[in-house]
């Protein structure tokens, strides 16, 4: 026997005694000798914590097992101690630049994802855990109309579509202190999201209306203000109101107003503030009362999962959910694609054959929808999942399914955001995207979220408290301020019942008003299941083979400009720009709100202390909803291209990438993309919410990076330059009169004739005007992909697979334009967060109604020269466009035509 051999039980975990794949509970260096049942074997390759190795000999062709379920098949004989590695995990680790030698080739292939075969002949209904004779209680807000009991009491501002999101957030900011004097109001929060902003009726219309309706009647909502645009599209207040009435939502029992934005930004803000302030006394008068635990409805969710999620955090949360059900309450399991491969476990204990068949039908429907877009469920595990030991969707699903305790029966399945009925354990259809899934559970009526995480996800929902449960003691100690429960205690040997009892007690206290870690941090996000663009496979081959534009500008009939028009530019060291900003670029949805908080802190220092004076003018963050929980392929390429376009943007002097830590597109992912694009990663700063130790620590790290780089950078230099240095984006929203089209055409010709650049989105109203196009020569075609950087000056058309104006503006920003100008007929547009937008109108009704928001009008003989003057004033930093300066800004990626939530 080797005296230095490590005991198997000290360094590994078998989820089930009969498994042949062991999980390393610590990093095991190559050469480590392991003793199991009196037999020694050697670890030939370094194995990361959470990764798997063979616990025994596995012959070629045999199944690899975890929780007694198959996740792979051995490609050759595998000896005890060998690193179990598929092709995907080797690729993921190579991208992470790990400091040890990886196996040369994979030794197992993934289990085939086949439809689960339900044996209906031998099916027997399961049994639910018995109810307690003396159920417990908590202190909550009893609501009228059968809405249940709230664990919180919020006033919620709901944007009906993405087009009202900027206004909703601005209103939330103005009302941030409004409820401070009311001890029983938890706050005034906005729900802004990405959906419903298209001109066409979205494929997720019913799902979206159901989600918004569920938000409004959730028991944690004390009052709701719902916002749309006057004359809006398919998703509007009337449609939502009708949907709620037709489907029996208890809207009359919620203090509410439907408000259409139809005046200037300032006047609408004043009206919105008045409505909310008028509710404060009534909402604040509601008191907590002692209520039965049967009123608890728990959303079960996981994110940033790792190999230990299924052996610690998920079983602990499942134990607590079982206790809630014993007390008459409800729990909701979700994330359809993250149960593929684990159907047999989910259906071990189920109420009826009908429930089992409906669950399997939802799984197959999800696979079909993903297939319409050219993807499979194998695209689900993120880079962070891979790095922490989740090799494929089968092994991720097997662990995710353990959020159902074996004793608990699956009672029902519901659609995404469908209101819960009878108490018990439910499954809700949803994507694996954490935020989108949580939103559906909240809309179904959940008043508490259990969020399990291996990497340390900091996700929280605005008006429903989230109890975050982390898998290992090491991660808990790293992120103690962000986590509520250390499930690593169970992994370390503490009995499940002890850890579960502590979490159950915390749940009751949190339901009664004790703030969770996320609430203390003040961090939250919302994302609703995003629209899917395809409804079948008939267009798939064509869409997958669309040729990319060649980057060559279109020809315009122009006169070489001799006007001598100039502006004051900033020397960038690599050329000229119109401004110099510090950019914080989140690499995924979960670091978005943290990036925004950091930018606000930095801008406060700019205003109060002159921070960055002479080096940058402002700090910008670009929060978004992508980078994780969505498909790869063309959609991922579009996303990464657009991110790189903003990082390399002429406005950006200093850029930092902020990862959450467990996403698909993490920092190492973007290091590789920057190198591929010929951009030096060393130019940029890098920070990680998880790996840097949580919100407070990462905020300080980002601040320090900007402080250090600015200290060693020279002061800005300014120079007067001509139109050849101008990069201008043009657009039009609403009906475009011929005179306005003629003015914008003359403007484009002036800039291009002076050697500058003009970019127009493919779906812009400008390109629908024959008058605007009179000066073009030859076919009008796309010259740039969506979000592609301009390399050759001239007149360009950017591909735009979206009719959402914010998504088009985001793509336009990535091309490198430094000022945007748009003609608007109707409500003015929300501006890009980084690139200023000049808004112009010739429409009398628009000028009359929104004059205070416009930067220029085309009445009184004003023409292209006057518009160009305004644009050059913006380029010279002498004028800030009105709505851009007032904070009516946004940023939103399109997923293109083949992107889908997963």
């Amino acid at each position: 026997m080797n005296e230095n051999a490590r005991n198997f039980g000290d360094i590994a975990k078998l989820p089930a005694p009969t498994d042949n794949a062991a999980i390393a509970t610590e990093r095991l260096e190559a050469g480590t000798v392991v003793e199991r049942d009196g037999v020694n074997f050697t670890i030939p390759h370094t194995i990361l914590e959470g990764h798997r190795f063979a616990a025994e000999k596995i012959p070629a062709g045999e199944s690899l097992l975890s929780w007694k379920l198959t996740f792979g098949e051995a490609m050759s004989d595998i000896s005890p101690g060998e690193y179990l590695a598929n092709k995907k995990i080797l690729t993921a680790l190579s991208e992470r630049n790990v400091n040890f030698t990886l196996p040369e080739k994979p030794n197992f292939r993934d289990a085939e994802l086949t439809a689960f075969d339900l044996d209906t002949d031998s099916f027997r209904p399961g049994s639910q855990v018995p109810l307690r004779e003396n159920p417990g209680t908590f202190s909550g807000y009893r609501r009228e109309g059968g809405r249940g009991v709230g664990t919180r009491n919020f006033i919620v501002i709901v944007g009906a579509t993405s087009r009202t999101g900027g206004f909703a957030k601005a209103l939330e900011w103005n009302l941030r202190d409004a409820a401070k004097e009311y001890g029983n109001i938890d706050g005034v929060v906005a729900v802004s999201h990405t959906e419903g902003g298209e001109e066409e009726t979205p494929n997720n219309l019913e799902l979206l209306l159901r989600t918004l309706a569920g938000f409004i009647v959730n028991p944690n909502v004390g009052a709701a203000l719902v916002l749309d645009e006057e004359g809006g599209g398919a998703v509007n207040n009337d449609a939502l109101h009708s949907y709620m009435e037709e489907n029996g939502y208890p809207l009359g029992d919620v203090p509410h107003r439907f408000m259409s934005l139809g005046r200037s930004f300032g006047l609408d803000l004043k009206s919105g503030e008045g409505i909310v302030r008028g509710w404060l006394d009534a909402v604040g008068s509601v008191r907590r009362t002692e209520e039965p635990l049967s009123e608890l409805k728990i959303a079960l969710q996981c994110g940033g999962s790792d190999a230990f999620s299924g052996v610690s955090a998920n079983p602990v949360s499942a134990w607590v959910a079982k206790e809630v059900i014993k007390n008459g309450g409800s729990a909701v399991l979700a994330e359809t694609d993250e149960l593929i491969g684990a159907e047999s476990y989910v259906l071990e204990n189920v109420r009826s054959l009908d429930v089992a068949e409906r669950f399997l039908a939802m799984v197959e429907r999800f696979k079909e929808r993903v297939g319409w877009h050219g993807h499979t469920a194998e695209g689900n595990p993120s880079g962070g999942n891979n790095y922490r030991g989740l090799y494929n969707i089968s092994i991720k699903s097997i662990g995710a399914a353990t959020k159902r305790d074996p004793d608990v029966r699956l009672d029902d399945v519901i659609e995404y955001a469908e209101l819960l009925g009878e108490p018990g354990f439910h499954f809700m259809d949803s994507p694996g995207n954490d935020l989108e899934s949580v939103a559906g559970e909240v809309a179904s009526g959940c008043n508490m979220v259990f969020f399990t995480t291996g990497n340390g996800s900091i996700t929280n929902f605005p008006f429903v408290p989230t109890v975050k449960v982390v898998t290992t003691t090491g991660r808990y100690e790293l992120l103690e301020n962000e986590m509520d429960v250390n499930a690593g205690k169970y992994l370390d040997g503490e009995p499940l019942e002890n850890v579960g009892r502590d979490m159950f007690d915390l749940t009751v206290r949190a339901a009664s008003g004790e703030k969770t870690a996320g609430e203390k941090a003040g961090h939250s996000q919302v994302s609703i299941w995003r629209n899917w663009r395809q409804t079948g496979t008939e267009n798939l081959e064509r869409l997958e083979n669309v040729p990319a534009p060649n980057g060559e500008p279109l020809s315009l009939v122009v006169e070489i400009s001799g006007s001598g028009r100039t502006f004051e530019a900033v020397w960038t060291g690599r050329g000229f720009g119109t401004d110099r900003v510090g950019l914080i670029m989140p690499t995924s949805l979960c670091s978005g709100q943290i990036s925004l908080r950091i930018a606000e802190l930095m801008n406060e220092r700019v205003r109060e202390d002159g921070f960055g004076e002479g080096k940058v003018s402002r700090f910008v963050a670009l929060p978004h909803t992508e980078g994780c929980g969505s498909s790869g392929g063309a959609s991922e390429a579009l996303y990464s291209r657009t991110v790189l376009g903003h990082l390399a943007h002429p406005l950006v002097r200093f850029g930092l990438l902020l990862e959450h830590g467990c996403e698909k597109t993490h920092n190492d992912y973007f290091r590789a993309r920057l190198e591929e694009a010929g951009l030096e990663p060393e130019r940029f700063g890098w920070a990680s919410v998880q790996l840097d130790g949580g919100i407070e620590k990462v905020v300080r790290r980002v601040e320090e990076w900007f402080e250090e780089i600015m200290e060693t950078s020279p002061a800005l230099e300014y120079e007067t330059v001509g139109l050849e240095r101008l990069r201008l984006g043009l657009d039009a929203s609403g009906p475009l009169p011929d005179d306005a089209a003629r003015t914008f055409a003359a403007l484009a010709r002036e800039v291009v004739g002076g050697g500058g650049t003009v970019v127009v989105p493919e779906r812009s109203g400008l390109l629908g005007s024959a008058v605007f196009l009179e000066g073009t020569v030859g076919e009008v075609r796309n010259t740039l992909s969506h979000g592609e950087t301009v390399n050759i000056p001239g007149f360009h058309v950017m591909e735009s697979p979206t009719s959402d104006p914010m998504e088009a503006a985001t793509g336009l920003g990535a091309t490198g334009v430094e000022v945007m100008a748009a003609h608007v007929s109707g409500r003015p547009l929300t501006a890009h967060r980084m690139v200023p937008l000049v808004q112009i109108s010739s429409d009398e009704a628009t000028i009359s109604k929104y004059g205070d928001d416009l930067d220029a009008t085309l009445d009184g003989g004003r023409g292209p020269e006057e518009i160009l003057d305004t644009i050059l004033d913006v380029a010279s930093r002498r004028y800030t466009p009105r709505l851009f300066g007032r904070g009516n800004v946004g940023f939103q990626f399109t997923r293109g035509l083949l992107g889908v939530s997963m």
Side-chain angles (χ1 to χ4, degrees), residues 552-870:
E552 296 279 347
L554 299 178
S555 296
L556 284 182
V557 176
V558 299
E559 295 182 9
I560 302 303
S561 177
S563 64
R565 307 300 290 276
T566 63
F567 65 98
E568 186 185 57
V570 185
W571 173 247
T572 69
R574 294 180 296 274
F576 290 95
T578 62
D579 201 358
R580 299 270 72 194
V581 306
L583 173 64
I584 304 160
M585 186 75 220
T587 65
S588 71
L589 63 168
C590 290
S591 55
Q593 293 306 308
I594 302 303
S595 72
L596 194 60
R597 176 188 295 189
I598 296 171
E600 289 169 353
L601 289 172
M602 304 286 273
N603 283 322
E604 189 175 324
R605 292 178 63 184
V606 170
R607 293 187 296 270
E608 296 182 359
D609 306 324
F611 178 65
E613 186 174 358
K615 305 295 180 74
V616 295
S617 66
R618 57 194 167 100
F619 290 88
V620 177
L622 300 176
H624 57 84
T625 61
E626 300 307 303
C628 205
S630 58
S631 53
S635 175
E636 183 179 313
L638 185 157
Y639 162 69
S640 61
R641 180 173 63 239
T642 309
V643 170
L644 263 58
H646 284 90
L647 288 169
H649 198 283
L651 291 176
V652 177
R653 186 177 194 191
F654 308 120
L656 177 140
L657 292 92
L658 177 64
E659 70 171 10
H660 185 214
C662 55
E663 59 266 72
K664 178 187 290 188
T665 56
H666 43 72
N667 278 349
D668 286 333
Y669 171 94
F670 274 112
R671 281 192 181 94
R673 302 293 85 74
L674 287 167
E675 288 175 348
E676 291 169 358
L679 299 168
E680 307 90 348
E682 298 76 21
R683 275 176 49 190
F684 302 95
W686 305 86
S688 173
V689 177
Q690 292 171 1
L691 297 181
D692 288 327
I695 295 173
E696 186 176 331
K697 291 179 180 178
V698 81
V699 168
R700 188 60 202 138
R701 178 180 174 87
V702 173
E703 285 186 308
E704 288 174 350
W705 183 83
F706 278 111
E707 290 167 356
E708 290 170 6
I709 197 168
M710 285 195 291
E711 186 175 340
T712 58
S713 299
L716 296 175
E717 298 178 14
Y718 303 90
E719 187 173 326
T720 300
V721 299
L723 292 180
E724 73 279 1
R725 305 294 186 187
L726 185 63
R727 289 170 282 258
L728 176 65
L730 293 180
D731 201 358
S733 174
L736 181 68
D738 285 350
D739 286 347
R742 196 168 290 112
T743 296
F744 270 65
L747 175 62
R749 289 196 297 271
E750 175 82 5
V751 173
V752 173
T757 296
V758 171
V759 185
V760 179
E762 173 187 10
R763 295 195 181 196
S764 172
L766 294 172
L767 299 181
S769 167
V771 173
F772 179 80
L773 295 174
E774 281 176 357
T776 57
V777 177
E779 178 190 6
V780 177
R781 54 177 170 76
N782 295 337
T783 65
L784 300 169
S785 296
H786 186 90
E788 180 183 357
T789 299
V790 172
N791 290 314
I792 304 173
F795 181 72
H796 288 274
V797 175
M798 181 194 74
E799 175 188 57
S800 188
T802 175
S803 60
D804 187 299
M806 194 70 260
E807 293 179 351
T810 297
L812 201 56
T815 68
V817 300
E818 297 172 85
V819 182
M820 299 182 194
H823 181 276
V824 293
S825 292
R827 187 167 178 266
L829 298 169
T830 299
H832 187 289
R833 281 189 176 276
M834 186 170 78
V835 183
L837 169 66
V838 177
Q839 308 217 46
I840 304 147
S841 187
S842 61
D843 177 66
E844 290 184 6
T846 300
I847 295 170
S848 173
K849 188 175 287 190
Y850 301 107
D852 287 345
D853 296 338
L854 300 173
D855 300 293
T857 59
L858 297 180
D859 55 358
R862 295 183 182 89
E865 295 300 315
E866 289 79 11
I867 300 303
L868 185 55
D869 284 340
T870 301

Side-chain angles (χ1 to χ4, degrees), residues 355-376:
V355 170
E357 290 176 334
R358 284 191 288 128
F359 168 76
L360 293 173
M362 284 184 174
V363 170
E364 293 307 308
R365 182 178 65 181
F366 193 98
K367 291 180 186 177
E368 180 183 31
R369 183 182 293 136
V370 169
W372 294 340
H373 298 79
H375 306 290
T376 71

Side-chain angles (χ1 to χ4, degrees), residues 457-602:
S457 177
I458 60 169
T459 296
N460 301 282
F461 196 83
F463 58 86
V464 176
T466 300
V467 175
K468 289 196 289 298
V469 188
V470 70
T471 59
T472 62
T473 298
R475 280 283 159 151
Y476 179 80
E477 291 173 347
L478 179 66
L479 297 162
E480 190 168 357
N481 290 336
E482 321 304 336
M483 299 293 119
D484 296 284
V485 177
N486 175 19
K489 291 180 179 179
Y490 173 47
L491 195 65
D492 297 339
E494 192 167 327
L496 174 61
E497 185 173 351
N498 291 3
V499 182
R501 177 58 58 187
D502 288 345
M503 180 176 165
F504 179 77
D505 292 343
L506 172 63
T507 298
V508 175
R509 297 198 309 272
S512 301
E514 182 178 308
K515 288 188 179 298
T516 62
E519 290 176 303
K520 293 172 186 174
H523 168 265
S524 63
Q525 293 163 282
V526 177
S527 190
I528 295 171
W529 194 343
R530 293 202 69 176
N531 188 31
W532 52 92
R533 302 291 292 277
Q534 304 306 312
T535 56
T537 59
E538 57 271 14
N539 296 315
L540 182 57
E541 184 176 358
R542 176 180 61 82
L543 293 174
E544 289 180 326
N545 293 283
V546 174
N550 63 12
E552 296 279 347
L554 299 178
S555 296
L556 284 182
V557 176
V558 299
E559 295 182 9
I560 302 303
S561 177
S563 64
R565 307 300 290 276
T566 63
F567 65 98
E568 186 185 57
V570 185
W571 173 247
T572 69
R574 294 180 296 274
F576 290 95
T578 62
D579 201 358
R580 299 270 72 194
V581 306
L583 173 64
I584 304 160
M585 186 75 220
T587 65
S588 71
L589 63 168
C590 290
S591 55
Q593 293 306 308
I594 302 303
S595 72
L596 194 60
R597 176 188 295 189
I598 296 171
E600 289 169 353
L601 289 172
M602 304 286 273

Side-chain angles (χ1 to χ4, degrees), residues 218-220 297-299 332 420 441-449 464:
N218 184 281
N220 284 12
K297 298 177 175 66
I298 307 296
V332 182
L420 290 169
E441 290 174 310
V442 168
S444 76
C446 288
N447 52 13
M448 177 81 74
V449 178
V464 176

